[in-house]
Amino acid sequence: MGGICCIDEFDKMDEGSRSILHEVMEQQTVSIAKAGIICSLNARASILAAANPIESRYNPSRSVVENIDLPPTLLSRFDLIYLILDRPNADLDRKLAHHLVSMYFASRDKKETNADVLSLEQLTDYVSWTKREIVPQLSNEAARMLVKAYNDLRGQGRGQGKKVITATPRQLESLIRTSESLAKMRHSRSVEECDVEEAVRLQKVSTQQSATDPKTGRIDMGVLSTGMSEEERTRMEQQAAAVEQLLRDGSLKTIKATQLLHKFNDQSDLQIQLGQLRKVLDKLVEQEKVRCSSWSNENPIITVLMQGV
């Protein structure tokens, strides 16, 4: 039947729990190996998670992945990602304060309201019956609108003059799931154009917040899927090529990280910091061009493996 899994402090989960969520969110299955029993069960629950920024305050000059201690492979699995930022606003602050204070009122002091509020039992019955009985199907009009919306989202990247990915098939699947959910809420047997229109609106608001490159102000899905925008990826490739050429031109087989950093900044216009050098060296290690000792040491030793050095 499915359900909803609510997770608070999502950024503080251990690696083991995160690896389990990878399978759940990608394949909709949960593998269990316990007491000699090995099986794979279907997972049909939705996941609602909340996470805090690394420095307890969101830094708008950084991307979502840099602000939240979560791997981009997991973060990109969510259909919708919203940033809830604490910005001073007199009206909103007053409403929030009234709401919090009202929670401590005695029942006799609370103001009577004529609002049409569902009881917990009514809401539970509504959700249970809807999930059990309502299975909406895409109408022809909704299908055409989904295709057009996906092409429009992709077109935003083509119009920027660079190969920037502004939407992937994962966003299209997200639009389909959101449209079906909206149709279920209306108890409709078919997904209509109004459902797709609202799903696209929700997707755009989410994407504009979470997938925007803070340095360029453009939407780039690479920020979520890889943790790096196209601009940053291009810059890192240039830095990696420059560091590689510097090591090839040198006569040393080994060099310390800080020594390499000073030497690079003295000879190149591409000024980098130690954190950026570490990412560049990690890339060269993956390509088996250098070997690097543990970064637990503040000044690791880099061994050059490239031929001709």
Side-chain angles (χ1 to χ4, degrees):
M1 291 298 296
I4 183 169
C5 173
C6 299
I7 306 174
D8 196 12
E9 304 289 350
F10 192 51
D11 53 303
K12 297 178 177 61
M13 292 181 65
D14 56 75
E15 290 299 326
S17 300
R18 289 179 181 178
S19 63
I20 294 174
L21 282 177
H22 270 292
E23 179 188 356
V24 172
M25 300 181 73
E26 179 182 0
Q27 304 176 17
Q28 287 79 50
T29 60
V30 179
S31 298
I32 297 176
K34 191 173 183 180
I37 300 175
I38 301 176
C39 62
S40 180
L41 304 178
N42 291 331
R44 294 293 180 265
S46 300
I47 296 179
L48 175 64
N52 296 315
I54 295 176
E55 299 175 352
S56 299
R57 188 172 183 84
Y58 194 86
N59 188 345
S61 64
R62 297 180 179 178
S63 67
V64 173
V65 175
E66 291 174 323
N67 272 282
I68 302 175
D69 186 20
L70 286 172
T73 51
L74 181 60
L75 195 60
S76 61
R77 296 290 175 187
F78 287 90
D79 289 340
L80 300 172
I81 301 174
Y82 290 102
L83 304 180
I84 302 177
L85 305 181
D86 185 13
R87 294 192 177 99
N89 183 294
D91 293 334
L92 294 179
D93 292 343
R94 189 179 301 106
K95 290 180 180 178
L96 178 61
H98 279 305
H99 172 71
L100 292 176
V101 171
S102 68
M103 297 174 63
Y104 295 89
F105 283 172
S107 57
R108 57 184 172 80
D109 296 329
K110 291 184 179 179
K111 295 181 179 180
E112 295 293 333
T113 177
N114 295 323
D116 187 11
V117 180
L118 292 176
S119 66
L120 179 60
E121 292 76 12
Q122 290 174 321
L123 182 60
T124 302
D125 291 341
Y126 165 76
V127 173
S128 299
W129 188 88
T130 302
K131 291 180 69 66
R132 184 176 63 253
E133 301 294 337
I134 305 299
V135 184
Q137 303 295 320
L138 283 175
S139 64
N140 294 332
E141 294 78 9
R144 284 193 291 269
M145 194 170 182
L146 281 168
V147 172
K148 182 180 183 302
Y150 176 68
N151 285 331
D152 290 343
L153 291 174
R154 294 279 294 184
Q156 294 178 12
R158 291 192 291 268
Q160 293 178 5
K162 294 184 178 181
K163 295 180 180 179
V164 179
I165 304 300
T166 53
T168 66
R170 189 172 293 171
Q171 274 66 57
L172 178 57
E173 292 177 343
S174 172
L175 287 175
I176 295 173
R177 285 191 292 266
T178 307
S179 300
E180 290 176 343
S181 299
L182 291 167
K184 278 187 176 183
M185 292 174 62
R186 299 189 296 105
H187 283 185
S188 174
R189 300 290 180 179
S190 63
V191 178
E192 304 297 340
E193 290 178 294
C194 60
D195 301 314
V196 177
E197 185 177 353
E198 178 63 10
V200 171
R201 187 190 70 82
L202 294 172
Q203 182 73 259
K204 285 183 177 180
V205 173
S206 170
T207 302
Q208 287 174 354
Q209 285 186 318
S210 59
T212 298
D213 182 1
K215 295 181 177 61
T216 63
R218 296 196 296 259
I219 294 176
D220 187 346
M221 294 308 300
V223 173
L224 291 180
S225 59
T226 65
M228 187 182 300
S229 67
E230 185 65 28
E231 191 93 3
E232 292 173 326
R233 191 177 299 106
T234 301
R235 184 164 56 250
M236 176 172 285
E237 289 175 354
Q238 293 173 347
Q239 293 170 348
V243 171
E244 179 183 346
Q245 189 61 44
L246 178 63
L247 293 173
R248 285 185 182 275
D249 294 341
S251 58
L252 298 175
K253 281 286 188 178
T254 60
I255 186 172
K256 290 189 175 182
T258 53
Q259 183 182 354
L260 175 61
L261 178 65
H262 294 318
K263 189 175 181 180
F264 179 84
N265 286 334
D266 289 341
Q267 300 183 18
S268 175
D269 296 332
L270 301 172
Q271 300 295 297
I272 61 175
Q273 298 177 351
L274 186 60
Q276 295 171 306
L277 177 62
R278 179 175 179 176
K279 293 180 180 179
V280 169
L281 290 174
D282 287 342
K283 185 178 182 65
L284 294 177
V285 168
E286 291 178 0
Q287 298 172 356
E288 299 183 351
K289 294 180 178 179
V290 301
R291 185 188 301 119
C292 187
S293 61
S294 174
W295 281 90
S296 57
N297 182 0
E298 294 182 358
N299 195 13
I301 298 176
I302 295 95
T303 304
V304 183
L305 304 178
M306 295 175 287
Q307 296 179 356
V309 178

